Amino acid sequence: MKRWSRRAIVSVPYFWLGLFLLVPLLLVIKVAFAEAARAIPPFSSLTEFEDGILAIRISINSFAVLFEDTMYLQAFFNSVVIAAGATLLCLLIGYPMAYAIARAPAHQQSILLMLVLLPSWTSFLIRVYAWMTILGQNGPLNNFLISIGLISEPLEILNTNLAVYIGIVYSYLPFMVLPLYANLVKHDLRLIEAAQDLGARGLTTFTRITLPLSKNGIIAGSMLVFIPAVGEYVIPELLGGSDTLVIGKVVWQEFFNNRDWPVASALALLLVLALLAPIVWFQRNQDAVR
């Protein structure tokens, strides 16, 4: 009975992953190897019966289109660059925040963590729309900069890559802070005290002890920010404007504007395969530490 109980408990997450991850992925793979067609749904069937014989028709035309048209490669490159830059900014901003929370008195840490998570309680879409107002030419940011005399005319921030960076950093910063805090709060402070007793200064103690020990938190936070940021659609669409070419927008256009589901599925499949590399690397790094 204990053995069957354990198997039943373990089977729940496997069932969840199979239903909501594996099955949709298999559907995407099926569509990616089909051909576009004027039908509902707009792609051909992979299997057909001809004279009582099952015929399997697999097409790789969708993948060929992705490598022939430089627009798709440019969109993927832009997505990686924006995601990497936003991840670096989240790390530079989030690390001091996580360090301050981890070193704060115990009764204050929960309050500080709640302040980090508090914006996430509001709808993601509403928060992005709010940034459209803030970054607009007549928005609070430009009005404040003009009022203090820092600029003489409104800045063009909205519908630029800068606005995309601001939106991604604001939206995904908690995903960087929380793993870093979980790592930093577990550090043995006696190591720092020992280093200080031996004459090490603050910067030396940080670079030789705190930073190396927080490696896993940095990697985990970076993965949690980078992976969803690569496929981000809402923020580039609302804050970046029509000239911002990223993979999420291209997938949406292929699905809904061009009605080319095979190309969109092939693009989504290649994106998943590309993101598997950092995930596997992170898992191997975690196993090596253990």
Side-chain angles (χ1 to χ4, degrees):
M1 290 297 296
K2 290 183 179 180
R3 182 183 303 175
W4 284 106
S5 299
R6 292 174 182 174
R7 290 181 179 179
I9 294 173
V10 173
S11 65
V12 173
Y14 281 102
F15 173 77
W16 182 271
L17 289 174
L19 183 61
F20 294 102
L21 178 63
L22 185 59
V23 172
L25 183 60
L26 292 176
L27 292 176
V28 171
I29 294 174
K30 173 187 175 182
V31 178
F33 286 98
E35 292 185 356
R38 292 176 176 260
I40 300 176
F43 57 88
S44 62
S45 176
L46 296 182
T47 58
E48 291 183 0
F49 281 96
E50 298 179 354
D51 299 329
I53 300 176
L54 179 62
I56 300 177
R57 297 181 177 179
I58 297 177
S59 174
I60 60 172
N61 291 336
S62 301
F63 295 93
V65 170
L66 299 182
F67 292 99
E68 290 174 357
D69 194 338
T70 58
M71 180 195 70
Y72 301 104
L73 297 178
Q74 184 64 41
F76 184 79
F77 176 78
N78 292 344
S79 298
V80 172
V81 171
I82 291 175
T87 301
L88 179 60
L89 290 174
C90 283
L91 178 61
L92 295 177
I93 299 172
Y95 196 101
M97 293 176 59
Y99 185 88
I101 296 174
R103 297 295 181 264
H107 66 278
Q108 296 181 4
Q109 293 182 9
S110 58
I111 299 176
L112 295 174
L113 287 175
M114 185 187 69
L115 293 177
V116 173
L117 295 174
L118 193 60
S120 303
W121 297 357
T122 308
S123 170
F124 173 76
L125 191 59
I126 293 176
R127 288 184 283 132
V128 177
Y129 268 113
W131 275 107
M132 294 178 64
T133 303
I134 295 172
L135 300 178
Q137 288 192 344
N138 295 321
L141 179 60
N142 274 315
N143 292 337
F144 173 74
L145 295 177
I146 292 175
S147 64
I148 63 176
L150 193 60
I151 58 175
S152 58
E153 58 183 17
L155 298 175
E156 291 287 345
I157 303 176
L158 193 62
N159 298 327
T160 63
N161 285 343
L162 176 60
V164 176
Y165 281 110
I166 293 174
I168 294 178
V169 170
Y170 166 77
S171 301
Y172 291 102
L173 186 60
F175 295 99
M176 179 66 73
V177 173
L178 294 180
L180 285 171
Y181 164 78
N183 179 278
L184 290 168
V185 77
K186 296 178 182 179
H187 289 187
D188 190 351
L189 299 182
R190 291 176 299 179
L191 297 174
I192 298 177
E193 294 176 358
Q196 292 174 347
D197 291 340
L198 294 174
R201 296 184 178 181
L203 182 60
T204 303
T205 303
F206 175 78
T207 56
R208 299 291 296 274
I209 298 177
T210 305
L211 190 60
L213 290 177
S214 58
K215 174 184 175 182
N216 288 339
I218 293 174
I219 296 175
S222 299
M223 293 296 102
L224 289 176
V225 174
F226 177 80
I227 291 175
V230 171
E232 181 60 52
Y233 164 73
V234 175
I235 295 175
E237 176 68 18
L238 297 180
L239 300 183
S242 58
D243 295 334
T244 304
L245 184 65
V246 292
I247 205 71
K249 292 180 62 175
V250 174
V251 171
W252 189 93
Q253 291 170 358
E254 293 294 343
F255 263 115
F256 298 102
N257 292 350
N258 300 336
R259 296 282 292 174
D260 196 340
W261 287 23
V263 170
S265 298
L267 190 59
L269 184 59
L270 290 180
L271 180 61
V272 171
L273 294 176
L275 293 178
L276 281 177
I279 294 175
V280 172
W281 174 77
F282 171 69
Q283 186 63 39
R284 288 184 176 181
N285 180 78
Q286 291 291 94
D287 294 339
V289 172
R290 293 172 187 170

